[in-house]
Amino acid sequence: MARRVTIVLLLLALVVSAAGATAQARTRVKRIGIGEYSLPAATLDRLRTDWVDQLLARYPEHTWAPMRFDLSNADLRLMGLPSKRVLLAHRYRVPTAVYPNGRMVPLASSKTRRSGGSKSSGGSQSTASPGVITYAGLGAFGIRPGAWLLLLTGNSVGWCSLAHVYGAPGSYQISTAGHCGKPGDTATVIGAVGNHQVNGATVPVLLDFGKFAVSHSSANDNSDLGHDWALISIDAPYQSLVTPTMAFWGGPIGMYRSVGNLVSVDFHNLNGLPTVSTNPNPALGQQIVHYGHGAGLGAGGTPRSGTAITWTSTYYMFFGAISPGDSGSGANTLTGDSVGANRQAAGIMTHLWIDPLMRQGLGIMAGTRATQVAAALANGQIIPYPAPTPIPLP
């Protein structure tokens, strides 16, 4: 069951012009109920199976594959969303509750609205601002590292996560994997509103918050690690919802810049499994901490860690738990490349090594190093905090 939290947040009340072409923002302090967009464990397991099947159908074993999950209509039904045709026929310029039957309910922070779209919907409830619906899981709010990203473009609905924030307040951008979208594509965040339910499940709420400004990825998808990154420009009304601090783990504080192999890995073993040597370089020993919306590893966002294998000038590799939705999420190092450094930006998770371990939820992953992104990293805080801005007192 989705958890509900009551917290005092700095909200944005959207005032939409009569023509619907522009939106302005003003701040209000309001106490509201919120809930995590979560799915039953059996549903998450099914989604992970669908993702693995999709990768195995597209890429041969013993190769690298981009981790993006393209959702089928069956997957969307499992998530409580309508078909691709319905989702792609709309845009979500204000927070919009999206019901399984295709009903769209725009939300505004200044009113109370009655849920609709199903006989078993919840009753009246406080509607939400973007600050609420960009719920990143585990009590973390805002457009930030780890938030859940949907890509509604062309004839596809893709599932990714957001990585690190770049730029300065008022002109923030946020990174993700380049294979998640191309320049000009709209980025959509997914969340939920407390007490807004159908058949006991929280109703997803979608918001278009920006567009891909730049995107780089390999022409062959899986042949060139370390050059797969994108920056999303965040629309002006939602700049105040941005926080550089990663959910749960905190940071990043600067970038991890060391280069070298912690261990040697042979990907051409005859049994199909990578062989890892026992010749570690302790100076490069790092625990990779990351946070993304991977299905099959807990409801909503999940913090995880893995063990670094190698650091080149453009990409890094590590071993850990894998799941759909992790593509594009940010990864930090637990410590750093100098004495006293902590939570440095490692990079963007992008690729997975295709081998039998995938069926067990484990694998070797690779990503583009944060140093490759052509922008100035925005530092987070070492201690994570839930809201995009300091929480005002009642």
Side-chain angles (χ1 to χ4, degrees):
M1 178 178 294
R3 291 170 295 172
R4 292 175 175 80
V5 183
T6 299
I7 193 167
V8 180
L9 296 176
L10 182 66
L11 302 183
L12 286 181
L14 296 181
V15 182
V16 182
S17 70
T22 61
Q24 297 175 330
R26 59 188 177 89
T27 60
R28 297 183 63 186
V29 175
K30 183 180 181 181
R31 193 184 300 272
I32 67 171
I34 54 177
E36 181 177 1
Y37 172 62
S38 60
L39 300 168
T43 298
L44 295 171
D45 290 340
R46 174 61 186 274
L47 287 168
R48 184 172 65 185
T49 297
D50 289 351
W51 176 62
V52 170
D53 290 343
Q54 183 179 110
L55 290 178
L56 290 173
R58 293 180 179 177
Y59 304 98
E61 288 191 13
H62 317 147
T63 62
W64 288 103
M67 296 175 68
R68 167 172 159 148
F69 186 14
D70 290 314
L71 297 163
S72 67
N73 283 331
D75 296 324
L76 292 170
R77 283 194 299 272
L78 287 171
M79 297 171 66
L81 287 164
S83 68
K84 289 194 293 183
R85 179 183 60 81
V86 172
L87 287 174
L88 294 168
H90 294 79
R91 289 267 47 116
Y92 309 92
R93 295 179 178 86
V94 298
T96 303
V98 179
Y99 289 82
N101 64 2
R103 177 180 172 86
M104 306 283 173
V105 181
L107 304 179
S109 62
S110 59
K111 297 180 181 179
T112 297
R113 187 184 303 270
R114 182 165 295 277
S115 301
S118 171
K119 293 181 179 179
S120 57
S121 299
S124 62
Q125 45 108 50
S126 297
T127 53
S129 81
V132 176
I133 73 99
T134 56
Y135 187 69
L138 294 178
F141 303 85
I143 298 171
R144 69 193 300 162
W148 196 335
L149 179 64
L150 284 185
L151 293 310
L152 307 170
T153 57
N155 191 38
S156 69
V157 178
W159 179 353
C160 288
S161 291
L162 293 172
H164 301 109
V165 174
Y166 291 80
S171 59
Y172 279 134
Q173 296 178 300
I174 194 163
S175 59
T176 189
H179 65 255
C180 288
K182 62 183 184 299
D185 284 352
T186 298
T188 304
V189 75
I190 185 171
V193 179
N195 299 327
H196 208 64
Q197 300 183 346
V198 171
N199 297 325
T202 49
V203 174
V205 180
L206 305 185
L207 171 68
D208 296 340
F209 69 93
K211 291 185 179 295
F212 280 73
V214 60
S215 180
H216 296 275
S217 61
S218 169
N220 296 320
D221 265 347
N222 61 346
S223 62
D224 190 15
L225 300 179
H227 302 284
D228 190 333
W229 61 272
L231 280 173
I232 299 169
S233 291
I234 299 166
D235 294 339
Y238 309 128
Q239 284 285 331
S240 62
L241 302 178
V242 181
T243 171
T245 300
M246 180 179 288
F248 186 83
W249 293 111
I253 307 293
M255 295 188 185
Y256 184 80
R257 298 181 181 275
S258 294
V259 175
N261 291 325
L262 177 65
V263 292
S264 297
V265 183
D266 181 5
F267 289 102
H268 304 290
N269 201 16
L270 293 179
N271 66 7
L273 296 175
T275 300
V276 181
S277 74
T278 57
N279 184 26
N281 176 358
L284 296 168
Q286 289 292 335
Q287 196 70 8
I288 301 293
V289 295
H290 59 104
Y291 186 99
H293 279 267
L297 293 169
T302 50
R304 276 158 280 145
S305 66
T307 303
I309 295 173
T310 190
W311 302 92
T312 77
S313 61
T314 60
Y315 66 84
Y316 63 100
M317 296 182 192
F318 70 101
F319 178 82
I322 60 101
S323 197
D326 284 340
S327 192
S329 60
N332 295 340
T333 57
L334 188 62
T335 55
D337 54 9
S338 61
V339 176
N342 291 284
R343 308 297 191 279
Q344 291 181 317
I348 303 165
M349 292 173 58
T350 62
H351 285 70
L352 173 67
W353 180 252
I354 303 298
D355 67 28
L357 286 175
M358 292 169 56
R359 295 291 185 190
Q360 303 173 38
L362 299 171
I364 291 179
M365 287 158 282
T368 300
R369 296 195 66 167
T371 54
Q372 293 296 103
V373 178
L377 180 72
N379 283 330
Q381 296 182 7
I382 196 67
I383 302 298
Y385 53 92
T389 55
I391 301 173
L393 297 174

